Amino acid sequence: MDAGKMRHRMELWGNVDSINELLETSIKPKRMRDVWCEIIPQTGTMQRAQADTIISKCTHKIKMRYGSGKDIKPDMWLQFGVQRFDIKYILNPYFRNESLEIFVEEVVG
């Protein structure tokens, strides 16, 4: 693994339970931490939706150190600036616990 390629700092977000002013449990997004990673574009498509809007779907592979991402779950998401990346699945290549490959989808619409 080439650590020099991990030059992108991304925010890891997830939903957490919180108590509101009525003492009810509600779910709110929370920034968990920052991770250093490499972003590799994979595929992209453009589709037409209702009212002549164009939706762009791009998939990316995000590589990071195993220790940085070992507790990441598929219901979390990564953020790079204003771009949100929803996690589709997580792979531990070669099963050596050195790095993780997280396949994500960015939906722009």
Side-chain angles (χ1 to χ4, degrees):
M1 176 174 51
D2 187 5
K5 290 185 177 181
M6 297 191 189
R7 62 181 180 273
H8 300 102
R9 188 177 186 173
M10 298 185 82
E11 300 171 357
L12 177 64
W13 286 77
N15 290 320
V16 294
D17 291 337
S18 65
I19 306 295
N20 62 16
E21 60 274 359
L22 299 174
L23 300 177
E24 299 171 331
T25 302
S26 61
I27 297 174
K28 289 189 176 183
K30 180 183 176 190
R31 182 177 172 179
M32 303 295 186
R33 66 177 180 274
D34 291 346
V35 292
W36 289 96
C37 56
E38 176 184 8
I39 303 171
I40 305 163
Q42 298 291 305
T43 62
T45 60
M46 293 188 77
Q47 302 170 346
R48 284 203 181 268
Q50 295 175 349
D52 278 340
T53 57
I54 296 176
I55 299 172
S56 169
K57 277 190 175 180
C58 297
T59 58
H60 296 74
K61 177 169 61 172
I62 297 176
K63 294 174 81 172
M64 67 178 62
R65 289 186 176 94
Y66 181 81
S68 297
K70 63 183 177 185
D71 58 346
I72 294 178
K73 298 177 182 79
D75 63 340
M76 296 177 170
W77 65 93
L78 293 159
Q79 190 128 0
F80 185 67
V82 296
Q83 298 171 318
R84 178 179 163 154
F85 297 93
D86 293 333
I87 297 173
K88 295 300 174 190
Y89 53 95
I90 303 166
L91 288 178
N92 181 1
Y94 316 117
F95 302 102
R96 288 187 272 183
N97 296 343
E98 291 177 0
S99 66
L100 287 176
E101 293 181 354
I102 300 174
F103 291 84
V104 297
E105 182 179 68
E106 174 191 13
V107 178
V108 181

